[in-house]
Amino acid sequence: NPIDTEKWETALRIAKVMLPNINFALLNRYGEVEKTNSDKSMVTIRNDYISAEIRVEGELEGYVQSLEPDASNISFTDTAKVISALFAEEG
């Protein structure tokens, strides 16, 4: 099952703070968009965008993924660590 709504809302708030000027989406483990800060009516995910895994106790729960065409200077490492730690603590 996709991760629960409350945790996605928390992840979205964290990502907005840590990545304020970047369009990103939170994807569930199936690659479906759960939340996004993009105002685009259609969100297109491409394989060459940078993404970070969200893991809870080692299990893949979802991704934070950039929607920017050129995300070469963006690091999601800290965001992923914070979100993973938060989910582990809540679990």
Side-chain angles (χ1 to χ4, degrees):
N1 296 330
I3 201 165
D4 67 70
T5 304
E6 184 177 326
K7 288 185 177 180
W8 276 118
E9 292 291 348
T10 302
L12 183 65
R13 287 196 303 272
I14 291 172
K16 280 182 177 178
V17 170
M18 298 187 75
L19 305 168
N21 301 315
I22 302 300
N23 286 326
F24 61 87
L26 296 176
L27 285 64
N28 63 27
R29 71 183 75 190
Y30 310 111
E32 301 161 340
V33 174
E34 293 283 343
K35 302 283 182 183
T36 181
N37 73 336
S38 174
D39 58 2
K40 301 171 186 173
S41 58
M42 177 67 80
V43 176
T44 303
I45 304 299
R46 290 179 37 185
N47 292 333
D48 58 347
Y49 291 148
I50 294 175
S51 66
E53 294 178 347
I54 298 170
R55 291 184 174 269
V56 180
E57 296 178 355
E59 295 296 318
L60 178 64
E61 292 291 347
Y63 308 87
V64 177
Q65 185 156 10
S66 167
L67 303 179
E68 301 294 335
D70 179 14
S72 58
N73 61 341
I74 302 168
S75 172
F76 286 91
T77 304
D78 293 336
T79 305
K81 286 180 181 176
V82 168
I83 293 173
S84 294
L86 175 69
F87 287 173
E89 287 173 11
E90 290 184 356

